[in-house]
């Protein structure tokens, strides 16, 4: 409606009929939806993870790593088998982004061990692959987000996992990124460090 109103205003100016632009009044225009920053509460994450850890092990690893790395789900699902290295006694993970190139960040030992365990799992089942989390029917491709999402939704419905308010939980992997960012804010990191991480 806003576009139609703008067009009528422009046409009204061109053909010298300014009343065309006044066909719509302010009350005719729908209000823009208010954007709400959403996160999972700590209890909701615990509740969801209680069930996630009992999923197929590689799917569970991908979901837990996604939470711990703080990146986009596409970054996690396209982790490559050469993504982890050590520098000055610290582990560094290299994550490739679909839209840009790659970034690197330090990770704690437990995250590095989980990545290594995921690599071992894939190597044992599929041999050498480019990605850690592979498509089961075509291991040359990364695991698909749609498959991951459908499995988690099935888990939520089968186990009747609810939010703190009692409603059935939804699932959005980007909320884990929001939670990660909120934890960094709570640690009082500066904006540049949060943006890097």
């Amino acid at each position: 409606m806003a576009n139609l109103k703008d067009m009528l205003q422009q046409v009204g100016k061109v053909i010298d009929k300014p009343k065309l632009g006044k066909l719509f009044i302010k009350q005719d225009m729908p209000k823009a939806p208010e954007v709400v920053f959403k996160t999972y509460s700590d209890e909701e994450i615990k509740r969801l993870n209680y069930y996630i850890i009992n999923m197929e092990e590689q799917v569970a690893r991908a979901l837990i790593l996604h939470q711990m790395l703080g990146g986009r789900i596409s970054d996690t699902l396209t982790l490559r088998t050469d993504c982890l290295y050590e520098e000055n006694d610290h582990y560094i993970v290299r994550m490739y982004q679909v839209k840009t190139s790659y970034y690197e960040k330090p990770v704690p030992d437990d995250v590095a061990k989980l990545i290594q365990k995921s690599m071992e799992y894939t190597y044992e089942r599929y041999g050498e692959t480019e990605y850690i989390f592979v498509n089961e029917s075509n291991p040359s491709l990364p695991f698909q987000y749609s498959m991951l999402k459908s499995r988690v939704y099935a888990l939520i419905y089968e186990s009747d996992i609810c939010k703190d308010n009692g409603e059935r939980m939804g699932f959005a992997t980007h909320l884990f990124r929001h939670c990660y960012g909120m934890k960094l804010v709570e640690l009082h990191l500066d904006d540049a460090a949060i943006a890097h991480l």
Side-chain angles (χ1 to χ4, degrees):
M1 286 183 64
N3 290 339
L4 181 58
K5 180 181 177 183
D6 290 343
M7 185 190 71
L8 288 171
Q9 284 175 333
Q10 294 300 319
V11 170
K13 288 177 186 176
V14 170
I15 64 170
D16 199 27
K17 301 278 183 189
K19 289 186 179 181
L20 273 178
K22 296 182 181 176
L23 290 175
F24 291 99
I25 58 175
K26 194 174 189 178
Q27 289 80 359
D28 291 334
M29 306 307 290
K31 289 186 176 182
E34 192 173 311
V35 178
V36 179
F37 183 79
K38 295 180 184 178
T39 64
Y40 290 120
S41 72
D42 290 344
E43 289 304 312
E44 288 170 340
I45 290 176
K46 286 178 190 173
R47 198 173 305 124
L48 188 56
N49 284 341
Y50 174 83
Y51 292 96
I52 284 174
I53 61 171
N54 293 309
M55 294 178 79
E56 190 274 317
E57 60 188 305
Q58 197 71 333
V59 171
R61 286 187 189 113
L63 287 165
I64 299 298
L65 275 171
H66 174 58
Q67 294 174 51
M68 297 174 86
L69 291 172
R72 291 175 179 83
I73 190 65
S74 58
D75 300 349
T76 303
L77 295 179
T78 57
L79 282 172
R80 299 182 184 182
T81 51
D82 62 352
C83 70
L84 189 67
Y85 66 94
E86 265 188 277
E87 187 175 277
N88 300 327
D89 294 327
H90 296 291
Y91 284 104
I92 309 292
V93 66
R94 175 179 290 153
M95 300 175 79
Y96 288 86
Q97 293 181 304
V98 175
K99 296 178 182 175
T100 58
S101 57
Y102 69 88
Y103 62 97
E104 297 178 333
K105 63 193 234 178
V107 291
D109 291 352
D110 56 348
V111 173
K113 287 177 184 170
L114 191 54
I115 292 171
Q116 290 167 337
K117 195 75 174 164
S118 301
M119 287 181 199
E120 291 167 11
Y121 176 96
T122 298
Y123 182 75
E124 287 170 8
R125 282 157 184 77
Y126 305 102
E128 288 193 26
T129 61
E130 181 178 0
Y131 301 106
I132 296 173
F133 301 106
V134 298
N135 184 313
E136 295 156 352
S137 58
N138 185 354
S140 65
L141 298 173
F143 196 86
Q144 297 299 304
Y145 172 67
S146 58
M147 290 296 296
L148 182 79
K149 189 172 183 176
S150 68
R151 290 182 188 187
V152 174
Y153 265 118
L155 173 75
I156 288 170
Y157 279 89
E158 289 166 7
S159 305
D160 195 28
I161 306 171
C162 294
K163 297 189 284 190
D164 293 340
N165 65 7
E167 294 175 11
R168 179 164 286 142
M169 186 174 282
F171 181 69
T173 55
H174 208 71
L175 290 186
F176 290 128
R177 186 169 163 84
H178 290 185
C179 295
Y180 184 88
M182 288 301 298
K183 292 299 178 194
L184 297 177
V185 169
E186 290 169 6
L187 292 170
H188 303 289
L189 270 70
D190 61 74
D191 290 348
I194 292 171
H196 177 73
L197 293 171

